[in-house]
Amino acid sequence: MTTEGPPVSSAPGKSDLRFLIIGAGMSGILSAIKLQEAGLDNFAIYEKADRLGGTWRENTYPGIACDVPSHFYSYSFAPNPEWSHRFAPGSEIHAYFEEVARRYGVASRIQYGNEVTHCAFEDGRWKIELADGTTDQGDFVIAATGVLHHPAYPEIEGLDSFGGAVFHTARWDHEAPLAGKRIGIVGTGSSAIQIVSAIVDDVAELTLFQRTAQWITPIDNGEYLEEEKAEFRRRPEAMAEIREEVARAFTDGFANVLVDAKSPMIQAIHAHCLANLENSVKDPELREKLRPSYQAACKRLIMSENFYDAIQRPNAMLVTEEIERIEKSGVRTRDGVLHELDILVLATGFRVESFVRPMQVTGRGGKRLDDVWKDGPFAYLAISVPDFPNFFMLNGPNGPVGNFSLIEVAELQLAYILQLVDLVRAGEWKEVCASQEAADRFDAERREAAKSTIWATGCKSWYLDEDGLPTAWPFTFDRFREEMSEPRIADLDRI
Ligand code: NAP
């Protein structure tokens, strides 16, 4: 069986362009809504899971929330007066995406439970194969497959021998009761920190295995009062104002300054985190264990209202001794101590080099994306790869990541992509992607710029490639906005 679009045309007219959207998370839903709005209604959305929502579907651990303020972490065209908190919990964010997808009429168009396994450019069109053997074809592919998607499991001896429940934060086992149990958590990234704060008061003992200490920025996650929500309902401009204010603060006070490790603002962020540590942790020994040895914001900054309180609870223990192995009854550290546990949580992050993979993507002349990316994934302006025409990624490699709204990033990227589509739609071109020359130039420039970013100042993080070079957008966010505002036509390879 095939679910093909309109007949193959070597020169698709304005109305018959077909789009294949892969993934129904935040970016996939956005793509469908915006294509529809642009009158490009001939699209399919494929989602391998049985629900939409991407990261917010997958991550259901206790305490999950977005550490970007909710009125900023919302689609610009769909403000939400009902956010309960400044930083809304994950379940609310998931419900928001489901509601918006329904409201804009795209939820019913998602084809669930079917993974796109192959994607090949043949005879001027993209042909895809799905796990159930069906196929489809279209003029454009929008890969909205997410970044932090494939859990990274640690290679610790004996992991399989643990006698209790053991699971990754993105695969939370809700059948495993926490109350009154001894819980161990490996890792101290954003996920672990949220979990510690959320569960410490419910569990008998909480042991946090820290390999590297983290800088923590304090936040105030107040609830929105009923009268504030009523005001948002009555006056949506109030939400737009907050959004604008937060966006500006994030851009000027954070995103723009990360690219210069020596900037005074970075020093101020460091001082703020340091004061938080000094003022919040009473026991000098614990304070030293929690003190990172690198600059704040080198790793992704962790925002937390109450982690330091949580880790100082009498039933919480911070273990900095290296893990030697995992045994049936717990975690054995190098000092010989066995930390007995009932449940072991792996808060060990994600394999971030996958992007659209494991999907097999083949471009012009049979070129395989796996080969092109053999030394690591890259994309011109985070969107396009030479010889993969009409194949565009949202939140692809080398894009802005960090403590700001990936929704804003995706919206800017999609606006850029739609400008490329318009050129095809107008009949000027049939195929468009970055030229090799432009992609090489961009890559060389971004590699050079990466060296002076905060991420390159001597810590280990998921922002770095195998050679230790930061892979994220190393320029200011203002530059990203500008690049996305209008394609540089000379950089494009088009037919
Ligand atoms: P992460 O930041 O990559 O942290 C993984 C943690 O596991 C690190 O502390 C790491 O230690 C530790 N680890 C990994 N392998 C280990 C091993 N073999 N032995 C001991 N420790 C090990 O992962 P994450 O916390 O899931 O966060 C990933 C990203 O998701 C975040 O950076 C953020 O972008 C996103 N996120 C966002 C939010 C939000 O509120 N918006 C919330 C959660 C996550 P080292 O530091 O020593 O490597």
Side-chain angles (χ1 to χ4, degrees):
M1 182 193 134
T2 65
T3 50
E4 290 182 4
V8 178
S9 151
S10 56
K14 283 183 182 190
S15 57
D16 62 356
L17 292 173
R18 180 163 170 81
F19 295 79
L20 307 171
I21 301 169
I22 305 177
M26 172 276 287
S27 321
I29 296 162
L30 169 73
S31 305
I33 293 172
K34 289 289 165 185
L35 285 174
Q36 207 169 252
E37 194 178 286
L40 297 161
D41 205 32
N42 184 3
F43 61 80
I45 320 168
Y46 291 104
E47 168 55 58
K48 67 182 161 65
D50 57 5
R51 268 181 95 174
L52 61 79
T55 201
W56 302 104
R57 176 198 63 231
E58 309 249 308
N59 287 274
T60 59
Y61 59 76
I64 184 165
C66 186
D67 60 11
V68 175
S70 299
H71 284 293
F72 187 32
Y73 194 81
S74 316
Y75 295 124
S76 58
F77 53 88
N80 176 20
E82 311 305 331
W83 292 126
S84 65
H85 288 76
R86 265 68 183 161
F87 301 87
S91 55
E92 241 177 77
I93 299 169
H94 189 217
Y96 167 80
F97 286 121
E98 292 199 313
E99 193 277 318
V100 172
R102 253 195 318 273
R103 181 158 31 116
Y104 283 81
V106 302
S108 56
R109 300 194 54 178
I110 301 169
Q111 303 185 41
Y112 289 107
N114 213 350
E115 183 168 358
V116 179
T117 55
H118 290 81
C119 206
F121 190 69
E122 290 167 15
D123 305 324
R125 279 200 126 198
W126 283 98
K127 307 199 172 153
I128 61 169
E129 287 174 34
L130 293 111
D132 69 352
T134 57
T135 60
D136 194 355
Q137 51 181 285
D139 303 289
F140 291 89
V141 170
I142 298 183
T145 48
V147 190
L148 298 160
H149 184 58
H150 303 280
Y153 289 90
E155 286 178 20
I156 303 177
E157 190 193 322
L159 188 55
D160 293 341
S161 66
F162 184 63
V166 51
F167 46 85
H168 189 273
T169 50
R171 300 283 180 272
W172 195 269
D173 180 356
H174 291 278
E175 301 295 304
L178 301 175
K181 302 283 188 215
R182 297 164 302 175
I183 316 294
I185 301 176
V186 181
T188 49
S190 306
S191 305
I193 299 307
Q194 290 182 338
I195 295 166
V196 168
S197 308
I199 69 172
V200 69
D201 289 334
D202 299 330
V203 304
E205 285 171 23
L206 189 150
T207 309
L208 180 64
F209 296 93
Q210 169 185 287
R211 186 164 69 180
T212 311
Q214 292 274 8
W215 287 112
I216 313 275
T217 320
I219 52 168
D220 176 9
N221 189 14
E223 265 186 73
Y224 279 115
L225 304 172
E226 238 348 282
E227 46 273 34
E228 288 175 296
K229 291 190 213 169
E231 167 75 358
F232 292 147
R233 280 179 220 120
R234 202 170 37 244
R235 219 174 57 83
E237 314 85 81
M239 290 182 282
E241 282 157 22
I242 295 182
R243 186 187 171 83
E244 188 52 37
E245 206 176 287
V246 175
R248 207 59 254 167
F250 267 65
T251 305
D252 294 344
F254 198 71
N256 279 352
V257 302
L258 297 175
V259 300
D260 176 9
K262 297 198 177 73
S263 72
M265 187 63 91
I266 286 279
Q267 310 311 319
I269 291 171
H270 188 91
H272 191 53
C273 293
L274 182 60
N276 188 29
L277 173 70
E278 302 287 358
N279 298 334
S280 311
V281 184
K282 295 186 193 70
D283 173 14
E285 201 180 313
L286 180 64
R287 201 186 311 134
E288 288 322 300
K289 284 182 172 180
L290 288 167
R291 188 186 302 276
S293 57
Y294 53 87
Q295 270 203 70
C298 181
K299 282 172 177 283
R300 187 185 197 271
L301 258 190
I302 294 187
M303 320 255 167
S304 178
E305 200 178 23
N306 46 13
F307 168 70
Y308 284 144
D309 282 348
I311 199 68
Q312 293 177 87
R313 292 280 206 280
N315 64 332
M317 182 160 53
L318 181 75
V319 174
T320 53
E321 201 60 51
E322 198 183 331
I323 296 174
E324 183 173 281
R325 62 175 180 273
I326 291 168
E327 302 180 2
K328 189 163 184 282
S329 53
V331 171
R332 174 90 57 189
T333 43
R334 290 249 176 249
D335 53 4
V337 175
L338 175 67
H339 303 269
E340 291 194 57
L341 302 169
D342 301 308
I343 293 175
L344 182 60
V345 176
L346 305 172
T348 44
F350 297 86
R351 290 189 285 116
V352 293
E353 71 298 340
S354 302
F355 289 98
V356 303
R357 298 173 290 184
M359 182 169 76
Q360 292 294 303
V361 186
T362 313
R364 272 185 196 136
K367 205 176 227 187
R368 286 158 30 91
L369 193 60
D370 269 348
D371 294 334
V372 176
W373 281 0
K374 67 180 186 320
D375 297 326
F378 67 89
Y380 168 78
L381 297 180
I383 284 179
S384 171
V385 179
D387 288 326
F388 291 77
N390 301 1
F391 179 97
F392 304 126
M393 289 174 280
L394 290 172
N395 283 308
N398 311 136
V401 287
N403 299 75
F404 46 91
S405 173
L406 285 188
I407 299 187
E408 197 193 11
V409 171
E411 286 194 20
L412 292 166
Q413 291 177 323
L414 198 70
Y416 174 96
I417 292 167
L418 287 177
Q419 293 185 64
L420 301 184
V421 169
D422 271 347
L423 294 164
V424 175
R425 199 184 189 187
E428 286 185 39
W429 309 336
K430 283 185 288 183
E431 299 173 16
V432 57
C433 57
S435 72
Q436 190 65 55
E437 191 268 328
D440 290 347
R441 182 172 19 88
F442 171 75
D443 206 50
E445 199 191 341
R446 85 145 180 99
R447 283 173 177 280
E448 193 48 40
K451 293 178 195 160
S452 41
T453 61
I454 186 68
W455 309 303
T457 53
C459 68
K460 254 186 62 195
S461 76
W462 65 263
Y463 293 149
L464 306 180
D465 67 14
E466 281 185 352
D467 301 324
L469 190 73
T471 56
W473 183 260
F475 313 112
T476 63
F477 199 75
D478 287 332
R479 172 163 169 187
F480 179 72
R481 232 184 260 282
E482 196 182 311
E483 294 279 6
M484 292 298 103
S485 67
E486 195 180 347
R488 299 184 198 202
I489 301 296
D491 282 2
L492 302 172
D493 174 7
R494 67 265 186 203
I495 293 179

